Amino acid sequence: MNTVNVERFLRKHRQPAVVVASGLLFAVGWVVGYFHDLPRASAALMILAAAVGGYDVAKKAYYTLRSRTVGISTLVTLAAIGAIVIGEYWEAAAVVFLFALGNYLEARTMGKTRSALEELLEMTPDTALVRRDGETVEVPARAVEEGETVVVKPGAKVPVDGEVVDGESAIDQAPVTGESAPVHKATGDEVYAGTINQEGALEVVATGTGRDTTLERIIRRVEEAQEAQAPTETIIERFAAYYTPAIVVLAAGAYAVTGDAVMALTLLVIGCPGALVIGPPVSIVSAIGSAARSGVLMKGGEHLETAGKIDLVAFDKTGTLTRGEPTVTHVDGFGLDEVSVLRYAAIAEKKSEHHLADAILEAAREGVPGDTDADTGLAADGGTALEHPSSAADGPTIPDPDEFDVVAGKGVVARHGDRRIVVGNRALLDDRGIEVPDPVRNRVRDREEDGETAVHVALDGEVVGVVSLGDELRPAAAEVVRALQDAGVRTVMLTGDNERTARSVAERLEIDDYRAELLPEEKQAAIQSFREDGHVVAMVGDGINDAPSLATADVGIAMGAAGTDTAIETADMALMADDLERIPYAVTLSKATRWNIGENVAIAVGTVVLLLSGVFAGYVHMASGMLVHIGSVLLVILNGMRLLRY
Amino acid sequence: MTETIEYRVTDFDCPTCASNLERALKRAEGVEDAEVHYTTGRVELGYDDGVTGPESFERTISNQGYTARPR
């Protein structure tokens, strides 16, 4: 190894090299002093150890003084110089060596708290196989342009956000959504950059590339979240800015009063609020990193601290507790066969934008009434979410209505040839002066009590049938409600559905409370009223249409945020996958983080109190004070890092 | 021309140290904006590339006693 290499090695590993050199000099100095009784040589070695270990510290102290602040490096430098002046050579060397060692260990462990972020950074794809001029060429992933077609081989990382145009495969989306099970993808499905293709080759048209992918947005968000200060941090930093100079004054005062130089210098050594300042950020960075790995995006320490106090979670029903894809479950004919009832309903609904209309049309096209004994909400489909075909190509075609009119919130009125069709709720039939016979009324009530939505179908002023639709509960919904209740959180369901349907779903979930027949602004008012009752409220919704309620709640949680910028940008927490089970995790993680911050503050304050009383009682000297101080700093870092494995 | 550059600096001893480095970078000639994040170790600089460049930043950072890694 020539000198150039030694120099490069030392530049690269300066910190550990300094620690080792300072430690060796200290050890030799101590041996020389203790076993060979050579006080001068020992003192010289100790001063050298302090100089080697303290050079960088002193330089930092000089720079911080120039920017008119007092940091721990200032305190340590003062203490070491003071110790040498009063002839406490070994104390000076010990303090400097321990401080350098502590700093090195601290930087190493702090680096580990960033491991979650580093992992995400490693997920970013490097290269892409892109189709250009009829050839497949390999280019850096960032060089792919929007609209280009990339080929993703089995085992390769998807290089861009995009849409599958050819091929079929299972994709491991854990890096982006936190879903552990692979997701089946075929033509028309969305894929995300950084996810891993497992089986077949895919051709993907890029919709987002470079810095404009979901993964990059997550990484940016996690960084910003980790950089945003929580209220506790801000308070502590403000306190620390005054605390350190105050310690210098206290040390000077103590020396003036007692004349005990060692005690005054010891005060300087232990006077840094290191553990106090470092504790909260470590807890928060670890928690945010750990959440990101599980597909939960936390928007910053502030929301984590708030989320730790949550005692009520409100769920939007449709699309959150349920799959949000209503299907026709039963068709009842009254004086008309079921197939015709469904067909007339479909003709009337053909031009409607209502979400129930699609389900009625689909059932009619398939030419079968829904499964007549489907047990909505209890079917647990634990498989991967496969897209339903949006139209059955071989079913009967549904003609357009000749006239069509929507009655908002009630249903539709249409004309087909010479038949007048009315499809809607009871209020619409009352408006039109159409009688609802008792058997129909009873049937509608039964269906609603089963948690379904029942729609009347009338032909030329006579009720001819009832179409019932159900929206399947998500398999995890009941478990999630129970998990939150176990964590001491009250659960409430909010829905625009009618009272009977809502009650049935609420009973099945064993949810604490529900509010039915709410308009969107009434949902927001409900959230507001919970807050006025003194609750800290989280609202879970599917992002876009629940925006006002999400904004009103103390913590807004958006579901299924992968791929949608708006949800990622506006919610306080975003679940990347449509995975309800993450909600108890997010809530309990937030609570654990609040505890963790509290523990860290307690450790830090406890250490300072212990050390101060030790100094005044004469038990603690410079070296031991430094040792305990370093120990407390490492302890809070390690305690915060426990959240990484939460 | 205004340019931006990012570094990672991960050997901060405490949050105050990060804000001290930020102050030092802001004072450097040609630097229009500097942000130093203690928790992630990210350093963002906006500068006038006619006046200064990466070499000078790396010197400033190492003068303050830290190691800069380019991103």
Side-chain angles (χ1 to χ4, degrees):
Chain A
M1 220 157 106
N2 55 34
T3 43
V4 179
N5 273 348
V6 172
E7 214 176 311
R8 191 180 309 150
F9 176 85
L10 284 181
R11 228 197 349 254
K12 206 172 161 201
H13 302 279
R14 186 182 175 104
Q15 241 189 327
V18 163
V19 172
V20 170
S22 166
L24 280 176
L25 287 168
F26 175 74
V28 174
W30 189 79
V31 169
V32 167
Y34 191 84
F35 290 103
H36 304 283
D37 198 24
L38 296 168
R40 285 220 168 142
S42 168
L45 283 163
M46 288 297 184
I47 292 173
L48 202 56
V52 168
Y55 174 73
D56 285 344
V57 182
K59 199 164 85 171
K60 243 180 241 185
Y62 167 70
Y63 276 110
T64 51
L65 274 180
R66 272 189 37 184
S67 52
R68 294 203 188 78
T69 48
V70 180
I72 180 152
S73 41
T74 327
L75 297 180
V76 173
T77 310
L78 280 178
I81 293 171
I84 290 170
V85 168
I86 61 171
E88 294 280 355
Y89 304 116
W90 90 266
E91 288 268 21
V95 162
V96 169
F97 161 66
L98 286 173
F99 181 69
L101 175 69
N103 269 354
Y104 172 64
L105 292 175
E106 201 180 299
R108 286 289 303 263
T109 42
M110 263 317 269
K112 290 229 175 17
T113 61
R114 300 188 189 103
S115 62
L117 188 64
E118 303 279 346
E119 269 175 47
L120 281 175
L121 287 168
E122 276 165 24
M123 292 294 174
T124 46
D126 306 324
T127 59
L129 288 171
V130 69
R131 286 259 157 87
R132 283 182 187 165
D133 313 323
E135 289 186 26
T136 310
V137 287
E138 187 165 31
V139 299
R142 285 180 179 270
V144 179
E145 305 270 334
E146 201 177 314
E148 288 193 302
T149 304
V150 297
V151 179
V152 189
K153 297 207 158 130
K157 261 185 220 164
V158 179
V160 293
D161 278 12
E163 191 179 305
V164 178
V165 287
D166 190 28
E168 206 175 313
S169 180
I171 289 202
D172 172 7
Q173 300 203 121
V176 173
T177 65
E179 292 164 292
S180 48
V183 182
H184 179 267
K185 299 277 180 182
T187 306
D189 289 337
E190 257 188 306
V191 291
Y192 307 115
T195 57
I196 299 141
N197 184 13
Q198 296 195 311
E199 292 167 4
L202 291 174
E203 291 204 8
V204 174
V205 168
T207 54
T209 63
R211 281 181 74 85
D212 188 31
T213 64
T214 302
L215 180 68
E216 285 281 343
R217 269 196 291 274
I218 294 175
I219 291 170
R220 269 205 301 280
R221 271 290 169 200
V222 169
E223 287 206 311
E224 282 166 17
Q226 292 185 335
E227 286 156 5
Q229 288 205 320
T232 310
E233 286 179 77
T234 321
I235 293 165
I236 287 176
E237 286 221 354
R238 242 178 250 155
F239 166 76
Y242 295 101
Y243 177 85
T244 316
I247 284 285
V248 179
V249 175
L250 178 72
Y255 179 63
V257 172
T258 62
D260 185 343
V262 176
M263 180 162 106
L265 291 173
T266 307
L267 278 175
L268 285 182
V269 169
I270 63 161
C272 178
L276 188 62
V277 177
I278 283 173
V282 171
S283 308
I284 283 167
V285 169
S286 301
I288 290 174
S290 165
R293 265 191 306 210
S294 316
V296 180
L297 209 50
M298 304 260 184
K299 291 303 237 344
E302 189 188 340
H303 303 298
L304 257 174
E305 284 198 13
T306 314
K309 301 178 207 158
I310 287 172
D311 63 352
L312 187 148
V313 177
F315 292 92
D316 176 51
K317 178 176 92 71
T318 307
T320 302
L321 290 170
T322 66
R323 289 188 182 282
E325 296 159 7
T327 50
V328 172
T329 51
H330 305 88
V331 180
D332 298 297
F334 292 89
L336 188 68
D337 66 286
E338 285 147 19
V339 174
S340 305
V341 168
L342 192 57
R343 186 174 159 79
Y344 280 117
I347 293 169
E349 294 279 6
K350 188 160 181 190
K351 300 254 170 173
S352 164
E353 301 284 317
H354 200 269
H355 66 278
L356 295 180
D358 293 344
I360 290 175
L361 273 162
E362 195 177 316
R365 285 207 186 95
E366 285 172 11
V368 283
D371 180 1
T372 27
D373 47 10
D375 206 346
T376 46
L378 289 179
D381 166 22
T384 52
L386 293 177
E387 291 298 307
H388 288 292
S390 55
S391 66
D394 49 0
T397 48
I398 305 292
D400 284 10
D402 300 318
E403 275 175 32
F404 164 80
D405 202 8
V406 175
V407 186
K410 294 179 180 177
V412 296
V413 180
R415 185 176 63 79
H416 175 60
D418 56 355
R419 314 299 302 263
R420 284 176 301 112
I421 316 168
V422 176
V423 181
N425 61 12
R426 183 61 195 277
L428 180 62
L429 271 62
D430 290 346
D431 287 352
R432 299 262 143 186
I434 299 170
E435 279 287 309
V436 181
D438 283 353
V440 175
R441 198 173 307 183
N442 294 340
R443 183 59 55 89
V444 167
R445 198 189 52 231
D446 291 348
R447 295 289 184 225
E448 287 181 344
E449 279 171 357
D450 289 343
E452 294 176 17
T453 307
V455 183
H456 307 74
V457 183
L459 209 52
D460 301 327
E462 295 284 334
V463 177
V464 291
V466 174
V467 178
S468 309
L469 299 104
D471 184 3
E472 210 178 305
L473 279 177
R474 287 180 189 274
E479 278 167 61
V480 166
V481 167
R482 196 168 328 117
L484 287 171
Q485 287 164 339
D486 290 347
V489 176
R490 195 173 160 74
T491 50
V492 183
M493 177 179 86
L494 306 178
T495 177
D497 269 355
N498 69 70
E499 174 71 20
R500 267 200 295 253
T501 306
R503 187 182 328 128
S504 152
V505 174
E507 277 169 5
R508 217 176 301 151
L509 288 172
E510 296 179 1
I511 206 161
D512 295 320
D513 195 4
Y514 68 93
R515 303 282 161 93
E517 299 176 21
L518 298 173
L519 299 168
E521 59 270 26
E522 290 175 326
K523 279 184 194 170
Q524 194 183 353
I527 300 278
Q528 191 54 45
S529 74
F530 295 139
R531 292 187 64 199
E532 281 159 11
D533 294 345
H535 288 292
V536 178
V537 183
M539 164 80 192
V540 186
D542 44 9
I544 316 225
N545 52 358
D546 293 318
S549 317
L550 290 176
T552 305
D554 295 292
V555 181
I557 306 178
M559 296 219 341
T564 53
D565 308 0
T566 16
I568 294 183
E569 299 303 325
T570 53
D572 303 325
M573 281 188 200
L575 308 185
M576 302 316 291
D578 246 348
D579 188 356
L580 262 187
E581 287 171 62
R582 296 277 174 228
I583 289 175
Y585 163 84
V587 173
T588 50
L589 172 65
S590 307
K591 289 192 188 297
T593 309
R594 264 191 86 216
W595 269 103
N596 200 283
I597 292 173
E599 285 161 6
N600 280 355
V601 170
I603 292 170
V605 172
T607 309
V608 170
V609 168
L610 201 77
L611 284 174
L612 278 179
S613 46
V615 171
F616 289 117
Y619 290 117
V620 175
H621 294 285
M622 286 167 75
S624 50
M626 188 46 117
L627 199 60
V628 174
H629 171 78
I630 289 167
S632 72
V633 169
L634 291 176
L635 190 63
V636 297
I637 292 178
L638 292 172
N639 185 45
M641 280 173 67
R642 285 189 308 136
L643 294 169
L644 275 175
R645 283 186 299 278
Y646 192 85
Chain B
M1 267 301 288
T2 297
E3 286 282 332
T4 56
I5 190 166
E6 282 195 358
Y7 291 103
R8 271 214 192 273
V9 175
T10 50
D11 42 5
F12 294 122
D13 311 331
C14 61
T16 328
C17 309
S19 39
N20 290 339
L21 175 62
E22 186 171 302
R23 230 176 296 188
L25 285 167
K26 272 186 180 152
R27 272 207 316 273
E29 201 189 344
V31 175
E32 287 152 14
D33 189 33
E35 267 188 47
V36 178
H37 301 284
Y38 166 71
T39 41
T40 53
R42 196 159 60 105
V43 177
E44 281 178 283
L45 293 170
Y47 64 97
D48 181 342
D49 67 355
V51 180
T52 181
E55 266 179 34
S56 130
F57 307 141
E58 279 157 42
R59 206 172 35 245
T60 308
I61 294 172
S62 72
N63 271 348
Q64 294 270 332
Y66 305 109
T67 343
R69 284 187 295 155
R71 281 192 61 182

